[in-house]
Amino acid sequence: MPKRLLKGGRVVDPVNGRDGVFDVLIEDGRIARVGRDLAADGALVVEIPAGCVVCPGLIDMHVHLREPGQEHKETVATGTAAAVAGGFTAVACMPNTSPVNDNAGVTGYILQKAAEAHLARVYPIGAVSRGQMGEQLADIAELKQAGCVAVTDDGRPVATALLMRRVLEYAGMFGMPVIEHCEEQTLKGDGVAHEGFHASTLGLRGIPGEAESIMALRDISLARLTGGAVHIAHMSARQTLEAVRDGKARGARVTCEVTPHHFVLTDEMLGAPVPYDTNVKMNPPLREAADRDAMRQGLADGSIDAIATDHAPHHYDEKHVEFDHAPFGITGLETAVSLSFDRLVHPGVITLARLVELLSVNPARILRVPGGSLADHTPADITILAPDRAVTVSARTMRSKARNTPFDGWKLRGAVAATIVGGRTVYVNPEMANLRI
Ligand code: DOR
Ligand code: ZN
């Protein structure tokens, strides 16, 4: 790989206290140096277009890649192609595959597929319980040894308080966080949408915010009891944010993430523009404006640690059914950056440096994986952003195998220009033809 010098971009690297115009020298797949007016010294010079931002590679810590077993929805290859098109140099993938990722064989299979695809880095997340059945603990040591970076029963909560206590203890011994899909199942019942005005009007069974916050309270208490680290996935309800703030204030090892759909949309989408659109059915559900606004506040004030997409691809035929019968979930990898710019950075809710913390620094820290910084000698995982570029979301042209996004046709400001993994350019925005990286 030739030496390359990225010249003239605005480097945003909060860990190293940089926000300004710097050059970045890439050599042997690593960042050799970041500095002002670096000499080319035999390197290929890449002029970063005016207005573009060079930042540590983005990391999506909550993605469903569906392989093995549900390759009609997504594969590791198509999912990682979507990831790099969305600016992500790494993704962590959820274990609710078929079979479940509860053993070294499945973890190894996913890593093999990721190596073959050779696009984004893939960090598998193992199951908490065997088959995600909520009964016996999975072999946490085996999962760690095979390459898992965390454990979760995502898709459902850790079934009992005792199981959660045990897994916090065991995963804690291996330095892994427990990622929790917070859902008190008796309160959730067979609900399909947020319990409130819109669900009532449309005759849909509701899920109250407390279904989420009650489980978060249980888990935060157990994190305090055990000293283990719990990470609250896809937080949607303002009551849960209160629980997280309170837990943090009391010294619990708790972190949390929010998805773009939960800081952009509300349950108003259930009725309009397309009533009963199954592309607004996800778990947890879209909540009320007060919840969405609380999520924005939490992103701004630091109580929320990460933005993660919960990329949940489903086949068209599976979503093209009555609302009650459709599976929960929407895709997210290819819209996260544009939604974050358009709804958070441009309106002044958060700064660009904070966005980089939420999408790169903190996911790396929570999962204890490399990345999150442009420090010298670290792997050259770099995302180049075009904050002012206009984007029209097009489900048809996405890299993901799935099309289940409620954002099709949306006009947003903020795009991904290019994605570099280990010094190798794995994505260039096809609309930026003059960009040669
Ligand atoms: O909407 C969701 N889809 N929420 C989940 O927790 C699981 C996910 C999936 O696997 O489709
Ligand atoms: Zn989940």
Side-chain angles (χ1 to χ4, degrees):
M1 232 185 287
K3 267 206 287 189
R4 279 175 302 160
L5 184 64
L6 311 187
K7 253 199 147 8
R10 172 180 167 195
V11 171
V12 178
D13 178 13
V15 168
N16 295 298
R18 288 202 173 98
D19 186 345
V21 177
F22 292 93
D23 298 340
V24 179
L25 182 65
I26 302 174
E27 194 172 358
D28 294 330
R30 291 180 177 266
I31 292 166
R33 263 192 79 194
V34 180
R36 293 205 201 270
D37 302 319
L38 296 185
D41 198 16
L44 189 72
V45 175
V46 177
E47 294 290 345
I48 301 298
C52 279
V53 165
V54 176
C55 68
L58 309 183
I59 301 170
D60 189 345
M61 62 183 297
H62 194 137
V63 167
H64 297 269
L65 292 179
R66 305 299 192 205
E67 198 174 2
Q70 298 171 316
E71 292 85 353
H72 65 291
K73 296 177 194 262
E74 193 80 285
T75 63
V76 173
T78 59
T80 53
V84 297
F88 294 100
T89 55
V91 296
C93 63
M94 292 292 149
N96 62 339
T97 47
S98 181
V100 165
N101 183 13
D102 63 1
N103 65 78
V106 176
T107 306
Y109 180 84
I110 293 166
L111 288 171
Q112 173 67 35
K113 290 288 169 186
E116 284 165 20
H118 201 33
L119 291 166
R121 297 181 200 275
V122 174
Y123 298 116
I125 298 174
V128 163
S129 63
R130 287 182 199 273
Q132 293 193 293
M133 300 299 282
E135 289 159 9
Q136 287 171 281
L137 266 189
D139 191 329
I140 308 293
E142 175 183 320
L143 290 168
K144 166 80 183 179
Q145 178 78 28
C148 288
V149 296
V151 289
T152 185
D153 270 351
D154 184 55
R156 55 183 83 150
V158 175
T160 66
L162 180 61
L163 194 64
M164 184 49 123
R165 177 187 187 172
R166 293 286 176 246
V167 76
L168 282 164
E169 288 166 349
Y170 279 108
M173 282 164 45
F174 298 102
M176 291 196 290
V178 178
I179 299 176
E180 175 68 319
H181 166 118
C182 291
E183 182 177 290
E184 203 292 314
Q185 289 193 294
T186 63
L187 272 182
K188 189 223 173 198
D190 50 10
V192 293
H194 174 62
E195 181 176 299
F197 174 81
H198 296 284
S200 304
T201 308
L202 295 164
L204 296 171
R205 283 181 300 274
I207 308 170
E210 285 75 5
E212 181 180 86
S213 62
I214 286 174
M215 195 53 94
L217 287 162
R218 179 196 81 174
D219 297 332
I220 292 165
S221 296
L222 293 171
R224 291 182 70 197
L225 172 67
T226 59
V230 68
H231 175 79
I232 309 293
H234 44 54
M235 182 169 62
S236 65
R238 58 193 189 275
Q239 298 89 335
T240 311
L241 182 56
E242 282 169 22
V244 168
R245 284 196 179 115
D246 186 67
K248 286 186 173 189
R250 291 172 200 279
R253 293 177 63 201
V254 57
T255 52
C256 65
E257 71 193 26
V258 64
T259 70
H261 46 278
H262 288 114
F263 67 69
V264 171
L265 303 176
T266 67
D267 61 345
E268 210 179 330
M269 292 282 283
L270 293 167
V274 183
Y276 302 101
D277 181 0
T278 59
N279 285 333
V280 298
K281 179 176 177 181
M282 67 286 283
N283 190 15
L286 298 178
R287 300 211 183 264
E288 322 172 357
D291 297 289
R292 188 220 21 215
D293 295 346
M295 295 306 125
R296 291 182 181 180
Q297 180 60 39
L299 289 162
D301 69 19
S303 1
I304 295 173
D305 300 277
I307 294 173
T309 67
D310 194 9
H311 178 79
H314 292 292
H315 193 270
Y316 176 81
D317 292 349
E318 295 166 316
K319 276 291 202 181
H320 196 62
V321 295
E322 294 86 339
F323 197 89
D324 270 357
H325 296 140
F328 291 100
I330 64 168
T331 60
L333 285 166
E334 291 167 86
T335 44
V337 161
S338 298
L339 290 166
S340 298
F341 269 116
D342 198 88
R343 299 306 158 103
L344 299 176
V345 179
H346 292 314
V349 177
I350 64 171
T351 63
L352 192 45
R354 175 86 181 120
L355 184 68
V356 173
E357 279 174 15
L358 290 160
L359 280 169
S360 178
V361 178
N362 291 346
R365 180 176 54 84
I366 294 164
L367 296 178
R368 302 189 183 194
V369 297
S373 120
L374 297 177
D376 291 358
H377 313 304
T378 58
D381 289 7
I382 299 172
T383 302
I384 303 179
L385 302 167
D388 290 316
R389 199 175 173 82
V391 168
T392 303
V393 176
S394 160
R396 204 174 44 80
T397 57
M398 283 179 182
R399 265 60 167 184
S400 170
K401 220 181 231 199
R403 299 281 173 268
N404 52 312
T405 171
F407 300 111
D408 193 26
W410 279 42
K411 293 190 187 317
L412 301 165
R413 184 156 68 100
V416 175
T419 310
I420 299 172
V421 176
R424 206 166 52 93
T425 303
V426 288
Y427 173 77
V428 179
N429 187 331
E431 291 174 13
M432 299 179 72
N434 55 346
L435 189 62
R436 300 217 196 292
I437 295 197

